[in-house]
């Protein structure tokens, strides 16, 4: 446990996650503490605050500690709060769950969110955990040939769950509790982002890949990319790079969306779960591209 500014920080695993205590997010936060919270997010990639019970206005205020709150396409926001998505699964809903596979939020946008905030409201009696994986720790431990293949190379991202060409089968789609625009051909548009990012402040490099939205690596076909992306994804989600969070009502999680992937566990059939999600903007992935330091490090075409 360390004391940072007015609050305490408890690191939760070797590579990712910290719990912050001794702070009431519903109260005004001094600028120095806001800066310390941004530092914590950069260092731990996902941070948790238990027992906060924020209303939506308070959640937006907390979101803006980290960056301007965003309105996202394809998922219908709350009428009263256009920056808030109601992540709800009803007790009678079958099939998939929103965020129920490894992803970084909306990485297929030209300016994906820099981070997200999840506010636990109603929880099932068991299950409904969320996992995060550190793409920074995964980069550090990635075998050198794969690092060389990825550094300086783009990956192609597509809004597959919302589009036509790659849309998931109906029985895997999340249910009626969350309103998504599906079958929208604009979501099939390909976007290129660097496969490896570098934090401009810490200099730390991180993968920026995920199986929900990435279709291939630039310069390779989908068929050529698939075994490589599968191998990298198995590496990213090794348990030592992950944290699994068991929610309690009123907990707030804030994560660095460019440094992590996350996964909502769909194991609470017959029970309802309600979370409120906001996202915030920051640097574009392109502005954070990791640049090869010597010619041999450039991705081969
Ligand atoms: C999300 O993918 O943002 C939702 C995560 C969750 O509901 O646990």
């Amino acid at each position: 446990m360390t004391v940072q500014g007015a609050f305490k920080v408890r690191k939760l695993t070797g590579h990712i996650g910290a719990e912050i205590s001794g702070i009431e997010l519903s109260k005004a936060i001094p600028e120095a503490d806001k800066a310390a919270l941004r530092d914590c997010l950069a260092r731990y990639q996902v941070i948790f605050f238990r027992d906060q019970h924020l209303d939506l206005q308070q959640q937006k205020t907390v979101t803006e500690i980290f960056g301007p709150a965003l309105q996202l396409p394809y998922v219908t926001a709350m009428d009263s709060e256009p920056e808030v998505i109601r992540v709800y699964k009803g007790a009678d809903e079958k099939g998939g769950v929103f965020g129920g596979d490894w992803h970084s939020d909306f990485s297929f946008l030209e300016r994906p969110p820099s981070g997200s905030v999840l506010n636990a409201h109603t929880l099932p009696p068991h299950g409904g955990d969320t996992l995060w994986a550190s793409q920074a720790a995964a980069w550090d431990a990635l075998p050198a040939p794969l690092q060389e293949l990825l550094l300086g190379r783009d990956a192609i991202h597509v809004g597959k769950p919302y589009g036509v060409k790659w849309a998931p089968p109906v029985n895997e789609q999340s249910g009626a509790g969350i309103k998504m625009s599906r079958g929208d051909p604009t979501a099939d548009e390909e976007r290129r982002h660097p496969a490896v990012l570098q934090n401009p402040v810490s200099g730390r490099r991180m993968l920026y890949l995920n199986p929900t939205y990435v279709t291939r690596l630039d310069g390779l076909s989908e068929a050529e990319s698939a075994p490589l992306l599968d191998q990298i994804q198995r590496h990213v989600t090794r348990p030592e790079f992950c944290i699994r969070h068991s929610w309690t009502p009123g907990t707030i999680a804030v994560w660095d969306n460019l440094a992590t992937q996350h996964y909502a566990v769909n194991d609470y059939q017959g029970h309802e779960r309600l979370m409120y999600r906001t996202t915030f903007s920051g640097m574009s992935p392109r502005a954070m591209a990791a640049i090869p330091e010597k010619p041999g490090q450039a991705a081969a075409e």
Side-chain angles (χ1 to χ4, degrees):
M1 179 92 73
T2 57
V3 177
Q4 189 147 352
F7 50 82
K8 296 193 180 83
V9 182
R10 185 166 69 93
K11 188 173 172 177
L12 295 173
T13 77
H15 293 297
I16 179 169
E19 185 167 325
I20 300 195
S21 57
I23 187 165
E24 278 184 67
L25 294 175
S26 58
K27 305 259 167 70
I29 312 280
E31 288 305 319
D33 289 348
K34 289 183 183 175
L37 290 175
R38 289 191 288 270
D39 283 352
C40 281
L41 181 61
R43 178 177 309 189
Y44 300 109
Q45 302 150 70
V46 53
I47 51 180
F48 303 98
F49 306 81
R50 298 241 181 219
D51 300 320
Q52 299 293 328
H53 301 281
L54 301 186
D55 66 27
L56 299 183
Q57 278 308 320
Q58 291 165 337
Q59 179 174 349
K60 278 202 292 185
T61 304
V62 168
T63 303
E64 301 224 319
I65 293 174
F66 301 94
L70 277 172
Q71 293 183 25
L72 292 174
Y74 302 112
V75 176
T76 307
M78 297 179 68
D79 286 342
S80 54
E81 305 287 350
E83 297 93 357
V84 182
I85 296 175
R86 195 171 172 273
V87 179
Y88 179 70
K89 186 173 183 208
D92 54 354
E93 276 185 50
K94 296 188 171 55
V97 69
F98 183 69
D101 202 350
W102 286 106
H103 65 288
S104 299
D105 288 331
F106 281 67
S107 70
F108 61 94
L109 298 179
E110 192 174 341
R111 291 295 296 264
S114 282
S116 305
V117 178
L118 206 56
N119 179 358
H121 188 275
T122 306
L123 294 169
H126 53 257
D129 294 354
T130 308
L131 286 85
W132 285 263
S134 168
Q135 300 227 69
W139 167 262
D140 292 344
L142 195 67
L146 284 173
Q147 287 193 339
E148 267 171 42
L149 177 98
L150 294 175
L151 195 59
R153 191 184 291 270
D154 281 351
I156 312 303
H157 298 236
V158 173
K160 291 188 266 181
Y162 312 103
V164 180
K165 192 170 166 202
W166 288 272
V170 171
N171 63 356
E172 285 174 25
Q173 296 178 2
S174 43
I178 179 152
K179 296 202 172 31
M180 298 195 197
S181 109
R182 297 224 184 249
D184 183 338
T186 65
D188 288 338
E189 204 175 307
E190 294 191 334
R191 298 248 187 246
R192 307 160 68 99
H193 294 304
V196 189
L197 308 182
Q198 184 154 9
N199 183 303
V201 179
S202 66
R204 191 160 187 204
R205 287 180 171 168
M206 59 198 101
L207 294 166
Y208 188 52
L209 297 170
N210 70 84
T212 298
Y213 298 124
V214 171
T215 53
R216 64 186 163 86
L217 295 168
D218 191 33
L220 301 178
S221 68
E222 277 182 41
E224 289 164 335
S225 301
L228 290 165
L229 292 173
D230 285 351
Q231 184 186 351
I232 294 164
Q233 184 61 18
R234 279 198 304 278
H235 170 81
V236 170
T237 54
R238 277 166 52 182
E240 53 269 53
F241 304 143
C242 292
I243 184 165
R244 179 173 183 141
H245 180 73
S246 263
W247 295 94
T248 46
T251 296
I252 297 287
V254 184
W255 64 92
D256 181 333
N257 189 49
L258 302 185
T260 60
Q261 296 182 29
H262 59 284
Y263 182 116
V265 180
N266 185 17
D267 62 350
Y268 50 96
Q269 200 71 30
H271 302 283
E272 65 175 355
R273 180 177 183 269
L274 171 61
M275 320 286 275
Y276 293 104
R277 198 186 80 181
T278 42
T279 46
F280 55 88
S281 62
M283 284 181 79
S284 72
R286 181 63 56 198
M288 293 173 65
I291 309 294
E293 275 142 26
K294 44 185 199 248
Q297 281 188 290
E301 282 301 312

